[in-house]
Amino acid sequence: INYYFDTQNYGLANNDETLRVRQSDCGLKLEYKFNKKYSSMIRECQEYSFSIKELPSEISSHIITPFYDRDKTKFFLQGQLVTYRKKFQLDRTEICLDSNYYLGKKDFELEIECEEPEEIEKVIEILGCSCSSRVIGKYKRFLRQKETIGKNILE
């Protein structure tokens, strides 16, 4: 389960950053993703994560300082996304098949994690997949659905 946090005006999302608490069989982990770079179908980013004991309702920016260098602020729980994941290993590459459920929506995604970009192209060729040119992460998809629901409620 991914619990997403952001400012009231979505300051992290607007800077293409993600702050979440991930709940898995291993416990809770706070994760901050930043400095995202996109090239074709590849997304690279820096990640900072550590284990926590309980799910907070808000997170202070001081907890992700030295990486968050803007004004001090608080991040509030925006909602959750549930992922069912099946992992496979191909040489040094991890392949994840995800089913995601959030805000009444279900989608699927293929994640390929590796150290060398050439490995991604190799896996895509082996699987016979075609890919979109721009990757839209789970958090952005979650926010799009949240916005759609909000518009429908107001109409």
Side-chain angles (χ1 to χ4, degrees):
I1 303 172
N2 294 300
Y3 299 95
Y4 293 111
F5 291 81
D6 210 330
T7 60
Q8 299 294 9
N9 63 352
Y10 302 102
L12 292 176
N14 292 330
N15 282 309
D16 206 16
E17 299 170 329
T18 304
L19 179 62
R20 70 181 176 197
V21 172
R22 175 174 273 177
Q23 178 182 340
S24 70
D25 294 339
C26 300
L28 295 171
K29 224 176 204 183
L30 186 137
E31 300 175 335
Y32 175 49
K33 295 183 177 191
F34 58 103
N35 287 342
K36 294 178 184 174
K37 295 180 178 87
Y38 298 89
S39 170
S40 179
M41 63 189 154
I42 298 171
R43 182 185 72 194
E44 297 178 76
C45 66
Q46 289 181 274
E47 295 184 31
Y48 171 63
S49 69
F50 58 91
S51 295
I52 58 175
K53 294 184 188 233
E54 59 186 41
L55 180 68
S57 59
E58 65 183 48
I59 298 172
S60 176
S61 61
H62 82 275
I63 203 164
I64 57 174
T65 306
F67 306 101
Y68 183 81
D69 59 358
R70 294 183 293 282
D71 292 337
K72 300 300 177 205
T73 191
K74 290 191 180 198
F75 306 105
F76 301 95
L77 182 60
Q78 300 297 323
Q80 67 187 40
L81 178 147
V82 177
T83 298
Y84 294 96
R85 173 171 279 181
K86 181 71 177 167
K87 290 183 183 182
F88 301 93
Q89 198 72 32
L90 180 64
D91 298 325
R92 297 178 300 141
T93 302
E94 184 176 79
I95 303 166
C96 302
L97 301 174
D98 292 351
S99 298
N100 303 302
Y101 302 85
Y102 52 100
L103 304 171
K105 187 170 178 87
K106 175 181 180 181
D107 66 28
F108 304 93
E109 97 187 304
L110 169 67
E111 284 187 24
I112 303 169
E113 295 190 13
C114 61
E115 295 296 320
E116 300 297 325
E118 304 81 43
E119 293 295 316
I120 293 173
E121 293 170 11
K122 177 181 159 187
V123 169
I124 288 171
E125 186 177 321
I126 290 169
L127 295 175
C129 295
S130 62
C131 299
S132 62
S133 59
R134 176 75 171 172
V135 176
I136 301 171
K138 287 179 175 74
Y139 183 47
K140 288 276 175 97
R141 296 194 317 265
F142 169 85
L143 288 178
R144 284 183 180 178
Q145 181 67 5
K146 189 173 181 179
E147 181 181 12
T148 299
I149 289 171
K151 284 180 183 176
N152 290 340
I153 291 172
L154 296 174
E155 293 174 348

